[in-house]
Amino acid sequence: MKKNILFSTTRQWNPGDEFILLGVINVLQEILGDFNSIIYNRSPEVRQVKGYLNPFRTKEWTNRSFSGKKNIEAFFRIGFYDNSFKENMDASFINYVVFAGSPEWMGRRSSPLYDVILRYKIPTVYLGIGSSNVITYNMIKERYRTVLESSRLIIVRDEATREILQPLNPIKLSCPALFASKEEKEITALQKIALIFSTHKAVRSNRVSQETSAYLVSLYGALMKSYECEIVCHYIDELPEAFHLFPGCQIHYSYDSRDYLEIYRKFDFVIGPRVHGIGICASHGIPGILISHDLRADTAHGFGAKIISTGTNISEVISLIEKSRQSLGKSTEALRMLKREMKTEYLQYLQKVL
């Protein structure tokens, strides 16, 4: 009988979360075969930070019918229509809960899920989780510690999270976005570069600083003069800005995160500030340079990427690209080996607990 796995992730919010989920599912299928994938959707459009305080975000309210209901829902965001797990559901059918990457493995948006895990005693694993804040283990609330301490497996993707969870002896491996693509491409020459665009004009939590935004525009303009480059946007707010800033340049975007497998497959190299854009390229065997702008940059080490900071001299970036051009074959093969080694380790750990 097919198992039911509940994944903590986001949908239609940050494609990076969905790249991670693709990789997690690919790995789990090698162990469990076919299963039913269910998501606990942490997208802020679905679950606001304090949404758990709203007693009307339930299936019961959604099913009610009376005059004026639609007006109330429009003004107060009442009801729950998303095709994802609702915390007041009977969760006895869930076999496992999997936290699929992301720094949001605890917090108010995840709090209702922890209540469900504790209430139904659901076996839980954490795969490739990271951190965007510096805290200590003792600062984690008891309900989260209870689930963490009883979890079957904790794999982290960065040093900061390993330090935070050090009392639990977590395992540090590459982020599962490395497994998003099942196949790698052959790269024999550096012909086309993907430039991942971000802007300070996007919504909070999906934007970069104004300083980073200005640096990207300057850097990408310079690179377009020397290389064949195309722009890739992950979030809708970036799209009109990209068309305004880079007229005449090919610009890629899709609402469907799976489309990025084919979008990025067209390229031989990638540069940008989005960690998991670098990650999904690494899953193809495409090397890259991450432009660091927050604590999550450490994750890119697990993708074999070079990491630079905002403001790095453009001549230095070009030098890195040229060095990569000279050793492109070796870099691609190194990524293939990294992917194989990491998958082997993931499978070994997961086979012991599932």
Side-chain angles (χ1 to χ4, degrees):
M1 184 178 292
K2 291 170 68 173
K3 294 189 181 298
N4 300 302
I5 302 183
L6 177 57
F7 296 98
S8 176
T9 185
T10 68
R11 184 77 170 168
Q12 296 303 111
W13 168 238
N14 180 356
D17 289 340
E18 298 183 55
F19 299 164
I20 298 168
L21 182 58
L22 282 173
V24 167
I25 289 174
N26 285 341
V27 171
L28 289 178
Q29 284 176 337
E30 294 197 24
I31 297 173
L32 300 175
D34 194 20
F35 54 79
N36 294 322
S37 299
I38 305 150
I39 68 166
Y40 176 90
N41 191 355
R42 300 188 322 270
S43 166
E45 185 64 30
V46 176
R47 281 187 171 84
Q48 296 183 316
V49 169
K50 292 194 175 182
Y52 66 95
L53 297 174
N54 187 341
F56 300 107
R57 291 281 287 167
T58 63
K59 182 170 68 174
E60 285 72 23
W61 171 273
T62 303
N63 289 337
R64 291 179 66 183
S65 179
F66 58 85
S67 177
K69 179 189 175 192
K70 296 300 181 185
N71 293 338
I72 294 173
E73 290 180 341
F75 281 94
F76 296 102
R77 296 176 65 90
I78 290 171
F80 195 115
Y81 295 92
D82 193 60
N83 185 20
S84 62
F85 184 83
K86 301 165 179 64
E87 48 265 30
N88 63 325
M89 293 176 71
D90 175 4
S92 59
F93 70 101
I94 300 295
N95 298 107
Y96 301 105
V97 170
V98 177
F99 286 83
S102 172
E104 203 175 18
W105 43 271
M106 62 174 183
R108 287 174 290 189
R109 244 190 292 272
S110 298
S111 182
L113 178 57
Y114 278 83
D115 290 338
V116 170
I117 293 169
L118 291 167
R119 188 181 314 128
Y120 289 89
K121 298 181 174 58
I122 306 173
T124 302
V125 298
Y126 296 79
L127 300 181
I129 59 174
S131 295
S132 55
N133 295 301
V134 179
I135 61 172
T136 64
Y137 187 69
N138 290 335
M139 293 169 67
I140 298 175
K141 291 183 178 180
E142 183 178 356
R143 71 196 317 178
Y144 305 136
R145 293 204 307 266
T146 300
V147 175
L148 283 160
E149 289 166 9
S150 62
S151 65
R152 295 191 175 187
L153 179 65
I154 302 175
I155 296 178
V156 302
R157 70 192 196 199
D158 56 38
E159 194 58 38
T161 312
R162 179 157 67 176
E163 286 295 318
I164 293 167
L165 299 179
Q166 192 275 331
L168 304 179
N169 296 313
I171 301 149
K172 182 172 178 281
L173 297 174
S174 296
C175 173
L178 185 61
F179 316 124
S181 173
K182 293 183 178 181
E183 301 175 349
E184 301 85 44
K185 65 173 287 187
E186 292 290 332
I187 303 176
T188 57
L190 199 162
Q191 297 177 336
K192 190 180 294 186
I193 299 176
L195 303 177
I196 307 174
F197 181 65
S198 293
T199 174
H200 64 288
K201 295 184 179 181
V203 297
R204 186 178 179 182
S205 299
N206 241 319
R207 65 187 179 209
V208 294
S209 69
Q210 192 164 353
E211 177 190 9
T212 299
S213 184
Y215 176 67
L216 293 179
V217 174
S218 174
L219 173 64
Y220 292 175
L223 294 180
M224 288 175 182
K225 294 176 182 177
S226 302
Y227 303 96
E228 183 180 351
C229 302
E230 296 179 5
I231 297 289
V232 180
C233 298
H234 284 201
Y235 191 70
I236 186 64
D237 291 7
E238 298 159 353
L239 205 52
E241 187 74 358
F243 273 96
H244 170 70
L245 291 168
F246 306 104
C249 182
Q250 186 74 276
I251 297 173
H252 302 272
Y253 165 81
S254 178
Y255 75 94
D256 188 342
S257 61
R258 287 181 179 271
D259 288 345
Y260 285 88
L261 288 167
E262 286 305 312
I263 288 172
Y264 279 116
R265 193 173 179 83
K266 298 177 173 69
F267 300 99
D268 309 301
F269 199 78
V270 60
I271 302 171
R274 284 196 177 265
V275 170
H276 292 100
I278 303 296
I280 196 172
C281 284
S283 76
H284 279 307
I286 302 168
I289 298 172
L290 176 75
I291 300 170
S292 171
H293 63 98
D294 63 21
L295 284 174
R296 291 171 292 181
D298 185 35
T299 300
H301 287 298
F303 300 140
K306 300 285 191 301
I307 301 177
I308 63 173
S309 58
T310 295
T312 298
N313 191 283
I314 292 173
S315 63
E316 291 182 41
V317 179
I318 291 174
S319 177
L320 282 173
I321 295 171
E322 288 305 310
K323 287 179 181 177
S324 297
R325 183 202 291 274
Q326 294 167 13
S327 59
L328 198 58
K330 290 181 180 179
S331 297
T332 300
E333 181 57 32
L335 282 173
R336 286 200 189 95
M337 289 182 62
L338 174 66
K339 184 177 177 181
R340 285 196 294 268
E341 291 168 3
M342 287 293 109
K343 181 180 277 191
T344 297
E345 291 203 53
Y346 265 91
L347 291 173
Q348 287 175 344
Y349 285 116
L350 284 165
Q351 284 167 345
K352 295 175 183 177
V353 300
L354 298 181

